[in-house]
Amino acid sequence: MRARIEIWVIMILTLAATVVYAFSNGGELEIGGFKLRKIDFSGLLNNTTKGSLKPSESDNTLSNNVDTTRQRILFFGDSMTEGLFYSLDDYCNANGHTLFSITWYSATTESFANSNILDTYIRLYHPTYFIICLGSNELFVRDLPDRKRYIQAILRKLGNRPHVWISPPNWTKDTGMDTIIRQSVGDKRFFNSSTLTLQRSDDHIHPTIEASAQWMKHIADWLQSPGKTAHPIILRRPTKKTKHTFTDYYQTDFKKFEGSDNPERHRHFFR
């Protein structure tokens, strides 16, 4: 009986020593001629954790909650932004946001990537949210790898600030620009305008002011929808029109800011 008790005591002490060693920083332990090597449990846990998350789920820039804070929105793009500006300004005023707007006629992703216009606006106005509407002048491009580099250059200027890209309201089939934009910004930062039926102005390209207002309603509904957009914000429909004060226009020949040049020189006042 006594011998049996001694065996049990030895087994318990051995087990206890093994458990203590498992949490120590030692290398190997030798017991009765046998060598025990410590297992790195933390590595197993880390591998399990990494394998359980998809890349999109681990992206901390995505949110399922509506951001209720007031934003300083920079809305920029080509001539398509002109029609959207009026309605977006109404939405911003109704919801406490401040809007800065750039309409650059005939602009492309290359224009914004190679110019210092975004750097200047970011430095002066400290926007917290970006809405991009670019690509209408690039529906038929063939140099898609170059366009992807321009898009990535624009996104680098924005840093890690929330942003969305409004795709062109295509009046005809594009050669792949929409796909390149979507791949670059991600599904939840890409609003697909090509599925909308919009009344066009006399040039058969730009939506009318009324159609742009309808376009903006779809965009606003999407922008405040958790699960549909990466960083939803408050954009309830306005109950009245705003007396717009200004927006910033840049002509086709604009290249970049130089010397004393500044955004105010290109500002169009409505009052």
Side-chain angles (χ1 to χ4, degrees):
M1 181 69 179
R2 182 175 179 180
R4 184 177 298 177
I5 293 175
E6 290 178 349
I7 292 174
W8 277 104
V9 170
I10 293 172
M11 291 177 62
I12 292 172
L13 291 176
T14 302
L15 179 61
T18 303
V19 171
V20 170
Y21 171 71
F23 291 94
S24 71
N25 294 322
E28 291 184 344
L29 179 67
E30 185 172 344
I31 300 178
F34 294 96
K35 290 185 178 181
L36 302 178
R37 184 181 298 274
K38 183 179 176 182
I39 298 176
D40 185 359
F41 292 103
S42 63
L44 294 175
L45 290 174
N46 286 340
N47 289 336
T48 303
T49 303
K50 289 179 181 177
S52 65
L53 292 178
K54 298 178 181 178
S56 60
E57 293 172 336
S58 62
D59 184 353
N60 59 14
T61 62
L62 301 183
S63 173
N64 287 322
N65 299 317
V66 177
D67 187 345
T68 59
T69 59
R70 296 182 177 183
Q71 304 292 334
R72 295 172 62 83
I73 297 174
L74 178 57
F75 175 47
F76 67 90
D78 52 37
S79 57
M80 291 296 177
T81 64
E82 186 174 14
L84 286 175
F85 162 76
Y86 299 99
S87 292
L88 179 56
D89 199 27
D90 289 337
Y91 275 91
C92 287
N93 278 283
N95 292 277
H97 305 307
T98 301
L99 177 65
F100 303 93
S101 176
I102 302 173
T103 296
W104 188 353
Y105 295 114
S106 302
T108 63
T109 52
E110 181 180 7
S111 305
F112 278 93
N114 294 337
S115 169
N116 60 2
I117 188 169
L118 287 178
D119 309 83
T120 302
Y121 272 74
I122 292 171
R123 175 174 54 83
L124 290 178
Y125 304 123
H126 309 289
T128 60
Y129 201 100
F130 297 88
I131 301 176
I132 311 159
C133 187
L134 266 174
S136 290
N137 298 308
E138 299 164 273
L139 293 189
F140 310 115
V141 296
R142 298 291 180 182
D143 58 338
L144 293 175
D146 288 335
R147 302 295 154 171
K148 186 173 184 178
R149 285 194 289 272
Y150 298 144
I151 293 169
Q152 291 171 342
I154 291 172
L155 297 179
R156 283 195 296 271
K157 292 176 184 286
L158 311 187
N160 59 0
R161 303 174 186 88
H163 58 273
V164 294
W165 197 301
I166 310 304
S167 82
N170 297 353
W171 61 95
T172 187
K173 179 65 177 176
D174 71 323
T175 56
M177 191 64 184
D178 274 6
T179 300
I180 291 296
I181 296 171
R182 182 191 287 269
Q183 290 176 347
S184 299
V185 301
D187 289 343
K188 291 189 176 182
R189 295 188 182 91
F190 180 85
F191 180 85
N192 186 8
S193 304
S194 64
T195 60
L196 302 178
T197 301
L198 301 171
Q199 185 179 358
R200 308 285 171 164
S201 57
D202 292 341
D203 64 3
H204 305 293
I205 294 176
H206 296 82
T208 63
I209 293 297
E210 293 77 14
S212 293
Q214 293 298 318
W215 184 17
M216 190 63 234
K217 285 182 180 179
H218 291 288
I219 296 170
D221 289 344
W222 175 76
L223 278 173
Q224 60 179 342
S225 297
K228 292 184 178 180
T229 186
H231 193 105
I233 60 174
I234 295 292
L235 273 181
R236 300 186 186 93
R237 292 186 181 179
T239 57
K240 62 181 180 179
K241 297 286 185 180
T242 300
K243 187 176 182 181
H244 310 288
T245 55
F246 63 82
T247 186
D248 295 359
Y249 288 105
Y250 294 84
Q251 300 301 322
T252 305
D253 59 356
F254 177 81
K255 299 299 180 185
K256 63 179 181 178
F257 290 113
E258 295 180 351
S260 61
D261 200 8
N262 58 69
E264 283 73 13
R265 289 187 58 190
H266 300 269
R267 188 153 291 173
H268 176 74
F269 289 88
F270 293 97
R271 290 178 182 173

